[in-house]
Amino acid sequence: MNESVSVPAYPAIACYGLTKAYPGAFALNGIDLELPRGQIIGLLGPNGSGKTTLVKILAGLLQPTSGHVLIDGLEPGADTKSFVSYLPERTYFQPSMRVCECVKMFEDFYEDFDTGRALGMLETLGVPYRAKIKTLSKGTREKVQLVLVMSRHAKLYLLDEPIGGVDPASRDFILHTIIANRDPGSAVLLSTHLIQDVEDILDGFVFLGNGQVITAGDVHETRARHGKTLDELFREVFRCF
């Protein structure tokens, strides 16, 4: 008789006592957090709350001062970079690069990159394929980078302010892109302070303030319990921050 093998169900992200200190200040101060697979989670907080620091630690770009962080049961590093797709707050493509060269760079770097998906989204957005990055508007440059990040078949997408520099008319399209192009079962951690714009696509949320988790939970349950939108709750919680 075949015996069933128990496979540990690691959370998408787990932080235990996670701290990042700089001289005279804590960017993160004792974060305890577990985030599930298969959901879009909003990492929400005012500027300076520690959102970007946390995302960079998850992406393996910063080392914590103390505590532990695990992605799918692994410490951030070379192994996790193979299944974590990271969108930084600022674009990093060289201005002289063409859009097609950016696509080729992702194609060469990431085995899970879906070129057909990327080309389809760029065409839908009307991004000229051979245009140089420096000739594109700031919003269009951000769209290009988001398209490439979401064209990977990743387990976890880390999106740092994906709609911060995009005009309001394009935000709905970008949020739809995030929903429609993530792989089933993958998790999305979306860092932003534009709560009203993203609230409808979120499954869960984390309020981060002064480097600490203020509260976290399911969006729908929280709205029902408090009788107000997540944006209204955010404004109430952070009024004194």
Side-chain angles (χ1 to χ4, degrees):
M1 185 172 68
N2 293 329
E3 294 184 2
S4 60
V5 178
S6 177
V7 179
Y10 296 110
I13 296 170
C15 303
Y16 307 110
L18 182 64
T19 298
K20 180 63 178 178
Y22 294 102
F26 284 95
L28 299 175
N29 192 0
I31 299 288
D32 290 312
L33 190 64
E34 288 189 357
L35 300 177
R37 305 164 184 254
Q39 292 192 3
I40 300 178
I41 309 291
L43 181 62
L44 312 175
N47 292 332
S49 60
K51 301 190 303 297
T52 293
T53 299
L54 178 55
V55 171
K56 284 184 174 180
I57 288 174
L58 295 171
L61 299 177
L62 287 177
Q63 292 296 315
T65 303
S66 61
H68 301 280
V69 57
L70 300 172
I71 300 175
D72 200 35
L74 300 172
E75 293 185 356
D79 290 337
T80 60
K81 286 180 181 179
S82 67
F83 60 79
V84 173
S85 194
Y86 167 57
L87 177 76
E89 188 178 14
R90 295 178 177 84
T91 56
Y92 53 78
F93 296 127
Q94 292 297 320
S96 60
M97 290 180 70
R98 298 183 184 276
V99 174
C100 56
E101 292 171 333
C102 298
V103 173
K104 185 66 167 64
M105 184 178 75
F106 265 65
E107 197 174 46
D108 292 342
F109 267 76
Y110 301 110
E111 291 184 4
D112 62 359
F113 183 71
D114 187 330
T115 304
R117 178 190 288 183
L119 296 181
M121 284 194 283
L122 290 170
E123 183 178 0
T124 301
L125 281 168
V127 177
Y129 189 58
R130 296 197 58 80
K132 289 189 175 183
I133 295 297
K134 64 183 178 184
T135 67
L136 304 176
S137 68
K138 182 177 185 292
T140 301
R141 291 196 300 270
E142 292 186 2
K143 290 174 190 176
V144 170
Q145 192 158 291
L146 177 64
V147 163
L148 298 182
V149 165
M150 295 307 300
S151 292
R152 289 184 58 192
H153 293 282
K155 290 183 180 179
L156 173 64
Y157 299 90
L158 300 172
L159 310 179
D160 195 359
E161 296 289 355
I163 60 173
V166 178
D167 60 278
S170 299
R171 286 176 186 169
D172 284 346
F173 178 85
I174 287 175
L175 295 174
H176 173 76
T177 298
I178 292 170
I179 295 171
N181 291 283
R182 69 187 180 104
D183 279 15
S186 66
V188 177
L189 185 65
L190 193 162
S191 164
T192 186
H193 61 279
L194 300 171
I195 319 302
Q196 191 172 23
D197 290 292
V198 303
E199 180 169 348
D200 287 344
I201 75 164
L202 299 180
D203 301 299
F205 73 97
V206 178
F207 282 175
L208 199 66
N210 292 336
Q212 297 180 311
V213 174
I214 307 301
T215 187
D218 179 273
V219 169
H220 304 290
E221 290 178 359
T222 300
R223 286 194 297 214
R225 184 168 68 251
H226 291 275
K228 57 186 66 176
T229 67
L230 196 63
D231 182 59
E232 290 170 338
L233 183 62
F234 178 87
R235 293 171 187 273
E236 180 179 295
V237 168
F238 288 102
R239 185 174 295 130
C240 299
F241 275 75

